Amino acid sequence: ESIDEDLRNSLWNGLKSYLFDTIEKWTQYGESQFDLFCKKLWHQFYKLPIDNIPGNPEEYIRSRFFKAEWFEVYDFIEFVGNLNSNHFQINTYQFKTFCNDILETEFSAYRFIDDLIAPISNKQEISEIESAINSTQQFSSSKGANIHLKAALEKLSDKKVPDYRNSIKESISAVESIAKAI
């Protein structure tokens, strides 16, 4: 339940490289992508009034990132990893891959799995969870199982208060759903 300085710095470097250095900051016509990103960030993530966005929002975001609690850093990384890449010049797949490499290198107990940052202990667990979610998306008869698996992952990935009990229940429900389909 902490993030050391090396991990925090490395995650920030990913944000800098994949978001802040690539997103359009100025335009002659209307709002830039960065302006739209800031509005989305203030409204959906920070839950602050968008008319209070400071003159130098990147510095504000940086300051807040480096002062944030460990789970807030993961929540922010998760937020950025789930941006719609059609609206912003960010390759979310490469960003998530970069973050997962950093999380592994710095021995973090968390990884991106199916768009959520969840606690995990090894590559095999990540692979199995992703495989289960991906394989249940392919067939209409397994959609119920897919919904239960995603709900289980969501309950497990709550950084403040992970709901292990209900995550297990959702996992069992996924197995029951597949058993019914068979």
Side-chain angles (χ1 to χ4, degrees):
E1 296 187 353
S2 68
I3 290 182
D4 65 16
E5 188 177 347
D6 292 344
L7 177 56
R8 190 179 298 255
N9 288 336
S10 296
L11 290 172
W12 176 257
N13 291 340
L15 287 165
K16 184 83 173 114
S17 299
Y18 288 93
L19 177 67
F20 296 115
D21 289 350
T22 62
I23 197 167
E24 173 196 62
K25 292 194 175 127
W26 298 277
T27 182
Q28 294 179 21
Y29 313 101
E31 294 180 307
S32 69
Q33 285 189 350
F34 185 67
D35 294 332
L36 295 173
F37 166 74
C38 288
K39 283 184 177 180
K40 185 176 185 85
L41 180 65
W42 258 254
H43 175 68
Q44 293 180 349
F45 186 75
Y46 290 153
K47 309 285 189 199
L48 295 171
I50 60 173
D51 57 353
N52 285 350
I53 296 174
N56 188 351
E58 187 174 340
E59 186 56 41
Y60 177 85
I61 295 165
R62 184 183 195 287
S63 173
R64 191 162 171 157
F65 180 86
F66 281 98
K67 292 177 184 171
E69 295 285 330
W70 68 274
F71 58 87
E72 293 170 326
V73 170
Y74 286 141
D75 288 344
F76 184 68
I77 296 296
E78 189 176 274
F79 175 81
V80 171
N82 287 297
L83 289 173
N84 185 337
S85 56
N86 294 331
H87 294 111
F88 302 102
Q89 293 172 331
I90 178 172
N91 185 325
T92 54
Y93 176 78
Q94 286 180 347
F95 176 72
K96 290 176 198 175
T97 301
F98 174 86
C99 288
N100 274 345
D101 290 344
I102 293 301
L103 292 167
E104 183 178 355
T105 301
E106 298 296 334
F107 303 107
S108 171
Y110 290 85
R111 301 287 187 279
F112 261 110
I113 303 172
D114 193 47
D115 299 330
L116 295 173
I117 292 186
I120 211 71
S121 62
N122 60 48
K123 282 185 180 182
Q124 186 175 359
E125 285 182 22
I126 295 171
S127 167
E128 289 302 318
I129 292 169
E130 287 176 340
S131 173
I133 288 173
N134 290 335
S135 63
T136 57
Q137 282 179 327
Q138 296 174 2
F139 305 104
S140 59
S141 61
S142 61
K143 290 291 183 193
N146 184 266
I147 290 167
H148 286 297
L149 287 172
K150 286 183 175 186
L153 181 60
E154 193 172 301
K155 291 178 184 328
L156 185 65
S157 67
D158 184 342
K159 275 104 62 211
K160 289 182 192 175
V161 185
D163 190 354
Y164 299 114
R165 182 177 182 188
N166 285 320
S167 177
I168 292 167
K169 286 180 183 179
E170 289 290 344
S171 300
I172 291 168
S173 294
V175 172
E176 289 173 344
S177 180
I178 291 293
K180 266 187 187 177
I182 292 172

